[in-house]
Amino acid sequence: MSDGIEVEQIVESKPRRMPLATSLDKDAIREAYEDVRSDLTDTEWAVFKFDGPQIIVHGRGQCFEEFREQFGDAERAFGYIRIQMGDEMSKRKKFIFLTWIGQEVGVIQRAKMSTDKSLIKDVLNNFAVELQAGVEAELDIELFRGALNRAGGANYGTGIRDN
């Protein structure tokens, strides 16, 4: 202006959208976790996915092939699975905690997975092995069994009892 007064220009900008903090449906997740752990049910796995900023129970089942089908290239998820291990003399159930980050997941969402994982591990806290996968080929029962064998120490027997 010509009278020597400076005029400050105010530029309105949109507020930056901050990602919402992740939350858990803790009761449902705990119930699914205990269902997988229970010897009284046939449930062998549970999968937990994001519904907006909340992690929810996405599915449960008995077949490893069904478990594999739960994960997509553009998804982030967690899985909890029971696998029977042992030999002809000693059978025992072991548990795996899986973090899934599909190949099409963006950088920011990938980065959030470490903090999101710590939240769900407060509920899913009993497992022999923790794995991370991002492609379908990594969802292989033999790879899972191999990881459990390596974590379990000594391996005895063939799994077949000779008469």
Side-chain angles (χ1 to χ4, degrees):
M1 301 195 117
S2 60
D3 58 1
I5 299 174
E6 284 188 36
V7 176
E8 187 176 313
Q9 184 178 9
I10 298 174
V11 177
E12 234 178 272
S13 64
K14 292 181 185 177
R16 290 183 60 185
R17 229 176 115 201
M18 297 300 287
L20 296 173
T22 302
S23 64
L24 301 178
D25 183 352
K26 267 192 180 176
D27 291 337
I29 290 170
R30 184 171 286 111
E31 195 265 322
Y33 165 73
E34 290 171 0
D35 187 24
V36 172
R37 293 195 58 78
S38 174
D39 289 334
L40 303 176
T41 71
D42 291 332
T43 306
E44 292 181 358
W45 57 263
V47 171
F48 311 95
K49 291 189 178 180
F50 292 82
D51 182 14
Q54 186 176 40
I55 301 172
I56 62 165
V57 177
H58 175 74
R60 296 186 234 189
Q62 290 114 19
C63 168
F64 188 80
E65 285 307 311
E66 289 175 6
F67 178 76
R68 290 183 79 218
E69 293 168 4
Q70 302 300 308
F71 304 96
D73 286 340
E75 293 181 306
R76 302 179 304 145
F78 301 99
Y80 189 72
I81 186 165
R82 171 175 60 187
I83 297 176
Q84 185 166 298
M85 299 294 291
D87 57 33
E88 64 277 5
M89 301 301 288
S90 170
K91 297 202 181 302
R92 57 204 173 277
K93 293 174 176 55
K94 296 289 186 175
F95 300 89
I96 290 179
F97 173 72
L98 174 73
T99 301
W100 172 267
I101 305 173
Q103 296 299 296
E104 296 172 17
V105 173
V107 173
I108 303 250
Q109 295 302 314
R110 283 177 182 277
K112 279 186 73 323
M113 281 302 275
S114 63
T115 55
D116 295 344
K117 178 169 49 172
S118 69
L119 290 173
I120 197 163
K121 281 172 73 174
D122 282 342
V123 179
L124 311 179
N125 54 22
N126 194 335
F127 47 88
V129 172
E130 179 176 341
L131 299 175
Q132 183 167 326
V135 295
E136 190 176 329
E138 294 171 324
L139 299 174
D140 180 294
I141 189 69
E142 294 310 316
L143 291 175
F144 284 27
R145 287 183 189 282
L148 286 169
N149 275 334
R150 286 187 299 280
N155 296 305
Y156 301 101
T158 61
I160 300 169
R161 182 174 236 168
D162 296 327
N163 291 32

